[in-house]
Amino acid sequence: MSTTGLLVAALAVLALLVAYLLGGSGGTPAAQAVIPSQTVEGTGVDPRTLTMTGVGEATAVPDQVTFDLSVRMKQPELDAALDAASLTMTRVRAALEAEGVERKDVQTTGLEMHPVYDYPRYSSPVLTGYRVTQSAAVLVRELRSAGGAVSAAIDAGGNAARVGDIALKIGDPEAALGKARRLAVEEATLKAQEYAEATGEELGAVMTLREVDATSRSAIDDRPLTYEVAAAFRSSADSAPLPLSAGRADLGVTVQVVWELAAEDSR
């Protein structure tokens, strides 16, 4: 073979080798396999999903009342202050029981003892006594008894008694929350169907459902009540108890739902 022939043969072999190397290192093949969709790492959720939130609201009428009760007494000696506060709180508890409040629904929440000083202008502080505060949380299970219970506590405790954080409460909120949950799921489903239809997809099975939030909005005036303030709510003619109105409570639930989108071959 001539030199020219050897050169042509070598060039041909070189061309084949280059083509082989290009094909194995990123050249464009004539056909390419489709990689199946994989789950998102660490979540187990298929990328072909649709996530939507829904909010449901329901209204309930509160049927119970809670309030904070405290008795504050000051005496020259600590033992005397403790005794006076205990006697006053016992009297208040008895008044609450007379209004139908069960003993288990009056729970002690705190006991505080502080020295009280007088501060003369040009001399050292002078100890004048001790102040003791006993606190309790009260639950009135029947709304119609709540006004009488608050008034009775103030009357029994006199100026030593304080009532605050009066709040309406729903005894069984699950019934209203159940309705709110159903409405939240219905809203999320409706929106998901609209988005799926707009994009030419179909909803498949529900993959996950999560309750994001559940809230309740209900309250009345919670300023502290002293004996004088409570008396201002009364009618001097018939000494009516403190009026409390049930009003309404708005319960809201937010849910997040994840659907699997139906596969193309199943549509």
Side-chain angles (χ1 to χ4, degrees):
M1 182 179 293
S2 65
T3 303
T4 302
L6 291 173
L7 180 60
V8 171
L11 290 175
V13 172
L14 181 61
L16 290 173
L17 179 61
V18 170
Y20 173 78
L21 293 174
L22 287 176
S25 62
T28 303
Q32 191 173 21
V34 178
I35 301 175
S37 61
Q38 302 294 321
T39 58
V40 179
E41 184 178 356
T43 65
V45 178
D46 194 289
R48 280 186 52 79
T49 61
L50 191 153
T51 302
M52 193 60 57
T53 59
V55 178
E57 293 185 348
T59 299
V61 178
D63 54 356
Q64 297 180 353
V65 170
T66 62
F67 61 89
D68 292 338
L69 170 68
S70 64
V71 170
R72 294 189 294 180
M73 300 295 296
K74 178 190 173 186
Q75 294 292 335
E77 301 296 333
L78 179 58
D79 289 345
L82 284 168
D83 290 342
S86 296
L87 288 173
T88 303
M89 181 61 81
T90 299
R91 190 163 59 247
V92 170
R93 285 175 175 267
L96 289 173
E97 287 188 32
E99 292 293 327
V101 179
E102 298 183 30
R103 181 172 300 182
K104 66 179 181 179
D105 292 332
V106 183
Q107 298 185 358
T108 300
T109 56
L111 173 63
E112 299 179 6
M113 296 170 283
H114 300 286
V116 180
Y117 292 91
D118 188 17
Y119 296 90
R121 188 170 183 180
Y122 297 110
S123 61
S124 300
V126 177
L127 179 65
T128 61
Y130 294 87
R131 178 176 290 113
V132 172
T133 303
Q134 290 190 18
S135 304
V138 182
L139 168 65
V140 184
R141 296 183 181 271
E142 294 187 4
L143 181 64
R144 64 176 181 269
S145 303
V150 172
S151 298
I154 293 295
D155 283 342
N159 287 330
R162 299 290 186 276
V163 171
D165 290 335
I166 303 175
L168 299 172
K169 180 181 177 182
I170 302 171
D172 181 17
E174 284 304 313
L177 282 173
K179 179 180 178 181
R181 290 185 180 109
R182 289 190 294 273
L183 292 175
V185 172
E186 289 176 5
E187 180 182 276
T189 303
L190 178 60
K191 291 193 295 184
Q193 289 172 342
E194 290 175 348
Y195 277 108
E197 182 179 351
T199 55
E201 300 285 352
E202 288 185 8
L203 294 181
V206 172
M207 300 183 67
T208 62
L209 190 154
R210 182 168 65 95
E211 186 171 292
V212 179
D213 185 36
T215 58
S216 173
R217 298 179 297 277
S218 173
I220 61 175
D221 188 6
D222 61 354
R223 57 180 173 167
L225 294 177
T226 62
Y227 181 82
E228 290 81 3
V229 174
F233 282 92
R234 298 172 177 275
S235 165
S236 58
D238 56 6
S239 187
L242 177 68
L244 293 176
S245 234
R248 50 180 276 176
D250 297 321
L251 304 178
V253 173
T254 302
V255 298
Q256 182 184 76
V257 189
V258 180
W259 284 269
E260 181 181 14
L261 293 176
E264 292 184 3
D265 56 2
S266 66
R267 287 184 283 163

